Amino acid sequence: GGFMKKLLMLAMVLVMFAIVGCGGGSSSKNMFTEQGELVRIMDELKNKDGFKGHDLLVFQDISLMHFEQEGVSDSIDIYIVKPGTEDVDNYKYSNGKWEGPNPVQLTGDGRMEDNVTPMSKIDFSKVPDMYKQLEAKAKDVEGGKVSNLLVYILGRDGMYASWGVEGTREKYNADFDLNGNLTGYEKQ
């Protein structure tokens, strides 16, 4: 297939979520439910040095994690193509600020254009609405709650959002398009 191998990247993502747990206490707003919060965070990234005026290309996937426990902050893991190059850098958001760029080594012989999504195509303002839809569905599930991990995944037909509802006995997977429309919901 034309996709680059993801093994290397996956290992990094797992490491990140382990580290974030030690974060300082921050009373940041919940980026999943607070209208405009995620948009604000993403705008901060878009306005970094060298990014202003560019439609940033997101390499492969974006992971967004919300933590319920006290003293742990929401976090985001994203890979951005440095404008004008084919270099990919990792940026992490946690404890209320962006960290990066951290250079990423790419493996595989995939083409860059098969592995990127223009950030302008992703409507982050729709995330709280997506959350509400899942919250409503969670009411029908024993012990149901919206998953704390939202992932924008680059699939064969482009990027889509994968989220879910986790219950005591079962879990459901939900797919949304980049405009926040629910396109699939099924028991796992």
Side-chain angles (χ1 to χ4, degrees), residues 94-155:
S94 68
N95 294 319
K97 61 181 190 300
W98 282 103
E99 289 162 22
N102 295 303
V104 175
Q105 287 184 358
L106 301 181
T107 57
D109 55 2
R111 297 183 317 163
M112 183 57 79
E113 55 265 39
D114 295 333
N115 282 274
V116 296
T117 307
M119 201 187 264
S120 60
K121 285 193 167 164
I122 309 168
D123 191 347
F124 292 110
S125 73
K126 293 295 199 303
V127 166
D129 184 52
M130 289 155 61
Y131 186 94
K132 280 196 189 85
Q133 291 180 58
L134 288 183
E135 215 174 22
K137 289 187 177 296
K139 289 188 171 71
D140 301 329
V141 179
E142 182 187 326
K145 60 184 201 320
V146 182
S147 162
N148 67 348
L149 178 65
L150 161 60
V151 186
Y152 282 87
I153 297 176
L154 183 66

Side-chain angles (χ1 to χ4, degrees), residues 3-11 60-61 107 153-154:
F3 285 87
M4 297 189 184
K5 299 189 190 83
K6 285 199 177 180
L7 286 173
L8 201 145
M9 315 197 81
L10 207 59
Q60 289 183 352
D61 306 342
T107 57
I153 297 176
L154 183 66

Side-chain angles (χ1 to χ4, degrees), residues 18-151:
I19 294 170
V20 168
C22 328
S26 91
S27 57
S28 62
K29 303 181 173 107
N30 182 340
M31 65 182 173
F32 286 167
T33 56
E34 188 82 27
Q35 192 62 52
E37 179 66 4
L38 183 55
V39 172
R40 183 190 66 75
I41 292 169
M42 286 303 184
D43 282 348
E44 239 173 67
L45 179 64
K46 290 177 191 169
N47 287 324
K48 273 190 169 299
D49 289 350
F51 282 178
K52 251 185 152 65
H54 292 277
D55 185 5
L56 299 181
L57 295 177
V58 178
F59 180 81
Q60 289 183 352
D61 306 342
I62 310 173
S63 307
L64 302 98
M65 218 168 183
H66 168 68
F67 295 92
E68 291 296 337
Q69 63 264 42
E70 196 55 47
V72 184
S73 65
D74 290 354
S75 65
I76 302 172
D77 198 62
I78 191 170
Y79 298 85
I80 302 286
V81 180
K82 193 175 176 181
T85 74
E86 290 216 338
D87 295 337
V88 175
D89 290 314
N90 172 250
Y91 290 84
K92 290 177 179 27
Y93 180 85
S94 68
N95 294 319
K97 61 181 190 300
W98 282 103
E99 289 162 22
N102 295 303
V104 175
Q105 287 184 358
L106 301 181
T107 57
D109 55 2
R111 297 183 317 163
M112 183 57 79
E113 55 265 39
D114 295 333
N115 282 274
V116 296
T117 307
M119 201 187 264
S120 60
K121 285 193 167 164
I122 309 168
D123 191 347
F124 292 110
S125 73
K126 293 295 199 303
V127 166
D129 184 52
M130 289 155 61
Y131 186 94
K132 280 196 189 85
Q133 291 180 58
L134 288 183
E135 215 174 22
K137 289 187 177 296
K139 289 188 171 71
D140 301 329
V141 179
E142 182 187 326
K145 60 184 201 320
V146 182
S147 162
N148 67 348
L149 178 65
L150 161 60
V151 186

